[in-house]
Amino acid sequence: MTTPRIALILTGGTIDSVGADRLDLAWYIENNKRLGDGELVSAVPELGDIAEVAQVPFRRLPSHALVDRDWLDLAELLHGIFERDGADGAVITHGTNTLEETAYFLNLVLKTDRPVVLVGSMRPASALGADGYLNLLNAVRVAAEPSSRGQGVLAVMNDRIYGARDLTKTATYRVEAFQGRDLGPLGFADADGRVRYYHRTVMPHTTATEFDVAGLESLPRVDVVVSHAGADGAMIEASVAAGARGIVCAATGAGRPTPAQDEAFARAREKGVVLCIGSRVGSGRVARSPGLRERGVVTADNLQPWKARVLLALALSATTEPDAIQRMFDTY
């Protein structure tokens, strides 16, 4: 049996961070220290029993420091690896703060059915009870698993396998921080070493999407504005002034901005800015009412606002027509 070849791309994050001591579980980022090249892999020699793991260089940054250009470069790197048949799958270590956004972006733009798995940790590599080493082992297991092919971009955290569209971070420190909200995990990398899937996503992804970022130097600016009691239009006006081509509103409840925000959004639409209404609630759909359709407002379905930002930016790379963009939100 041929040993699977897995490309390992380290982008940084808690998983390769080093704290001041073994009980530094919170302030380790201020220590400004990371494992050296190859140290994360060498700390898990069991990886060799699963796959031939080859580390591929990439910039290492905290995930909250990543920008759209990093996503475009990462997609280009992955396409290059697979086009030259350099690996059967890939694992990307990533900070947990924006892991879900990177995963969803890649899920929409990668043109491959080979497994791509993002993985992180909630405790630094130096910590007592560090979770990153087992998470990494499980991520490689999932990437090497034949049944992972064609599942889209995945994420592995705390033994659970999530689809990129579904997962979101729900806790600041707990190792069980990631959930699938309405939908749960697709499967598990279990204690006996087996990878088991119990669900598949039906939403189109990777090779089935219409998005092609090859040659793109940047994405259109899309900002997220939060609605709350007493919110006015100041943030919306600032976003428009900064050059936003789209705005996602993390609205209250099932998609309700304040009246003052609605007025500001109307002015923004007159300037050609596309508005997408999501929810700050954390789960559930935002439906497009007849009134929103008439006003040319798009709704985010059940996407978290920061994921809606990703999809809106990609949509705006192709069109500014609200109904066409709504079709994309209903599809992906």
Side-chain angles (χ1 to χ4, degrees):
M1 183 175 178
T2 305
T3 302
R5 300 164 300 148
I6 303 300
L8 177 64
I9 303 170
L10 274 62
T11 69
T14 297
I15 193 168
D16 65 6
S17 292
V18 176
D21 55 52
R22 295 214 302 163
L23 295 181
D24 182 3
L25 305 178
W27 317 125
Y28 49 87
I29 192 168
E30 297 179 2
N31 198 42
N32 198 30
K33 185 178 179 182
R34 295 194 177 279
L35 296 176
D37 286 341
E39 285 191 88
L40 185 61
V41 171
S42 65
V44 191
E46 296 85 353
L47 292 172
D49 298 329
I50 301 168
E52 179 185 323
V53 177
Q55 188 170 326
V56 180
F58 194 76
R59 63 191 70 103
R60 285 201 268 176
L61 296 165
S63 67
H64 50 270
L66 296 176
V67 296
D68 295 351
R69 179 71 258 173
D70 296 309
W71 289 348
L72 292 167
D73 289 345
L74 188 56
E76 183 180 9
L77 176 62
L78 287 161
H79 280 138
I81 291 169
F82 294 139
E83 285 166 7
R84 65 175 180 270
D85 194 28
D88 302 306
V91 170
I92 303 168
T93 66
H94 199 287
T96 59
N97 287 344
T98 64
L99 184 150
E100 62 201 84
E101 290 154 84
T102 300
Y104 186 51
F105 173 81
L106 295 175
N107 196 55
L108 292 171
V109 306
L110 288 181
K111 302 307 173 190
T112 182
D113 66 351
R114 301 189 192 198
V116 175
V117 182
L118 277 78
V119 63
S121 72
M122 296 302 296
R123 296 171 181 162
S126 54
L128 185 66
D131 55 321
Y133 300 114
L134 184 56
N135 283 349
L136 175 62
L137 183 76
N138 283 333
V140 172
R141 276 182 178 147
V142 170
E145 167 61 39
S147 60
S148 296
R149 198 173 184 111
Q151 297 266 24
V153 175
L154 304 168
V156 173
M157 292 287 294
N158 201 34
D159 302 344
R160 295 165 174 83
I161 308 167
Y162 292 102
R165 191 185 185 280
D166 303 336
L167 89 155
T168 189
K169 187 175 180 179
T170 63
T172 54
Y173 293 118
R174 310 290 175 251
V175 294
E176 70 277 14
F178 281 81
Q179 297 182 23
R181 291 296 192 183
D182 294 334
L183 303 169
L186 299 178
F188 300 90
D190 250 333
D192 61 353
R194 295 189 66 188
V195 172
R196 295 280 288 167
Y197 287 99
Y198 295 93
H199 307 282
R200 293 182 70 93
T201 180
V202 299
M203 308 295 278
H205 54 72
T206 53
T207 58
T209 77
E210 62 203 86
F211 303 113
D212 184 358
V213 296
L216 276 185
E217 293 297 322
S218 62
L219 296 175
R221 178 174 181 140
V222 175
D223 292 334
V224 178
V225 174
V226 179
S227 188
H228 55 83
D232 61 17
M235 296 299 179
I236 298 159
E237 291 164 0
S239 179
V240 174
R245 290 178 54 193
I247 299 174
V248 176
C249 179
T252 63
R256 299 291 184 268
T258 67
Q261 286 180 313
D262 264 334
E263 293 173 5
F265 282 134
R267 294 191 293 271
R269 289 196 301 278
E270 290 174 357
K271 295 181 179 180
V273 177
V274 175
L275 170 62
C276 176
I277 299 289
S279 176
R280 69 181 196 177
V281 169
S283 66
R285 293 176 59 237
V286 175
R288 197 187 195 200
S289 69
L292 292 176
R293 184 181 299 110
E294 289 175 10
R295 290 155 54 196
V297 176
V298 175
T299 54
D301 195 83
N302 69 344
L303 285 174
Q304 302 290 333
W306 35 96
K307 286 186 179 177
R309 174 195 166 270
V310 173
L311 180 51
L312 184 54
L314 288 169
L316 286 169
S317 297
T319 181
T320 58
E321 205 284 309
D323 287 343
I325 294 174
Q326 186 64 63
R327 176 192 59 78
M328 296 177 193
F329 273 88
D330 293 341
T331 302
Y332 305 115

